[in-house]
Amino acid sequence: MSLYADGLKALTISDLAAMKRSGEKISCLTAYDASFSALLDRAGIDVLLIGDSLGMVIQGHSSTLPVTVGDMVYHSRNVAMARKRAFVITDLPFASYATPEQALANAASLMAVGGAQMVKLEGAKIDVIGFLVEQGIPVCGHLGLLPQSVNRLGGYKVQGREEQQARQIVADAEKIEQAGAGLLVLECVPAQLAAEISQRLSIPTIGIGAGVDCDGQVLVLYDMLNISTGKRPRFSKDFMADASSIEEAVRHYHQAVKSAQFPASEHSY
Ligand SMILES: Nc1nc(=O)c2c([nH]1)NC[C@@H]1CN(c3ccc(C(=O)N[C@@H](CCC(=O)O)C(=O)O)cc3)CN21
Ligand SMILES: CC(C)C(=O)C(=O)O
Ligand SMILES: [Mg+2]
């Protein structure tokens, strides 16, 4: 655990695991630049995710597929530079982890140049996850709605509504934990399924559209600030509605996650 001049301790993966054990919810938001990184860190947000959602909210694409490793390194570095306490996770973008060797080369760039403390990848790529962990790279899994597979899935839809698919997601979650992942994002799955997975795993789960029983919550920053283009997904909430500044909105989100007031049933499936 690194110690800064002001005595503020930077969070590590062990701290996040301890939060799950003690029942303290983990707050996470996406971040893409230094100014928001510093603001979110100041507001107490535990985890900053440099998400490939930046392809949509920063670059204006209609999916995350055009995002490159170079884009992720650039935004990750901007965020990592400015934060003091928050844990930094960066997405491996589309088609950047097809083999263990390719995943290692790209994860190494995200960490060594981008300043990421952990990399996140979509799907049950057990061989890739195991290899990265073996090389000393912390990995966050991601199950449920996989935006990099939008063309295969046929849209941004809730996953795991049918029993057979739900059982597959549970099995994949257990394999991801066994492969050595330290965290797992669950996106757009029924709240009851996410609750079951969160209970079965010893690693923390971070939900987005996955109900209140996940060990933590994440939202795309610009959705909760209500400045995204297009319609906000049902699972997000406009925290600017009752706030007089961006920092106040972020603090309200942090408190709402910590107290399990967010997400409510209207944000869940
Ligand atoms: N601004 C933004 N916010 C996000 O949460 C987000 C991104 N971009 N880009 C990458 C993915 C795409 N995501 C999305 C996008 C749309 C829905 C959506 O409209 N879902 C429907 C549910 C449909 C159903 O019931 O199956 C909804 O009404 O919420 C969900 C996730 C989540 N991620
Ligand atoms: C929404 C989160 C989980 C993400 O992967 C992203 O922002 O890219
Ligand atoms: Mg992503």
Side-chain angles (χ1 to χ4, degrees):
M1 192 175 285
S2 47
L3 211 57
Y4 291 79
D6 58 3
L8 195 65
K9 291 187 185 81
L11 291 178
T12 68
I13 186 60
S14 315
D15 296 319
L16 301 178
M19 285 165 74
K20 171 167 183 145
R21 288 195 299 273
S22 70
E24 180 181 350
K25 298 285 187 188
I26 297 165
S27 67
C28 177
L29 284 172
T30 68
Y32 314 102
D33 68 62
S35 298
F36 271 118
S37 171
L39 184 151
L40 269 44
D41 192 278
R42 215 159 53 229
I45 298 297
D46 299 313
V47 179
L48 304 184
L49 172 67
I50 298 87
D52 60 352
S53 54
L54 69 84
M56 297 169 82
V57 298
I58 302 282
Q59 299 174 335
H61 297 294
S62 59
S63 78
T64 60
L65 273 62
V67 177
T68 67
V69 173
D71 294 334
M72 297 309 298
V73 168
Y74 172 79
H75 287 283
S76 186
R77 186 171 173 78
N78 293 341
V79 169
M81 297 278 285
R83 73 89 175 80
K84 290 191 166 85
R85 171 183 174 273
F87 189 71
V88 176
I89 306 177
T90 304
D91 270 349
L92 277 160
F94 176 65
S96 73
Y97 49 97
T99 65
E101 292 73 21
Q102 186 196 21
L104 174 60
N106 289 325
S109 296
L110 295 180
M111 297 187 77
V113 189
Q117 292 171 284
M118 174 178 263
V119 300
K120 179 164 79 60
L121 58 87
E122 295 184 7
K125 306 260 304 173
I126 303 308
D127 52 339
V128 171
I129 294 170
F131 186 71
L132 292 178
V133 169
E134 202 175 84
Q135 303 307 316
I137 297 179
V139 175
C140 177
H142 182 158
L143 291 176
L145 172 57
L146 309 179
Q148 292 173 15
S149 302
V150 63
N151 294 304
R152 185 165 55 77
L153 298 174
Y156 299 110
K157 299 175 191 167
V158 177
Q159 302 294 308
R161 278 206 154 116
E162 307 80 24
E163 193 55 22
Q164 196 191 325
Q165 201 194 16
R167 288 310 107 202
Q168 183 65 57
I169 295 173
V170 171
D172 287 347
E174 289 181 331
K175 280 190 278 178
I176 286 170
E177 170 168 278
Q178 271 153 29
L183 286 175
L184 177 63
V185 164
L186 295 171
E187 177 164 356
C188 289
V189 297
Q192 204 189 324
L193 175 60
E196 180 189 341
I197 293 167
S198 303
Q199 199 166 35
R200 288 171 87 119
L201 298 195
S202 54
I203 60 171
T205 61
I206 312 281
I208 173 165
V212 73
D213 291 323
C214 292
D215 302 304
Q217 296 293 328
V218 60
L219 284 178
V220 168
L221 175 66
Y222 298 168
D223 290 340
M224 58 82 71
L225 296 178
N226 198 19
I227 56 171
S228 295
T229 55
K231 87 163 176 58
R232 252 183 308 115
R234 170 191 161 147
F235 53 74
S236 77
K237 178 180 171 183
D238 175 10
F239 281 87
M240 279 304 280
D242 303 308
S244 55
S245 70
I246 289 173
E247 187 158 338
E248 192 184 20
V250 171
R251 286 184 187 279
H252 285 171
Y253 168 77
H254 178 73
Q255 287 157 10
V257 170
K258 291 285 172 181
S259 62
Q261 287 168 313
F262 178 82
S265 55
E266 73 252 36
H267 309 114
S268 309
Y269 302 105

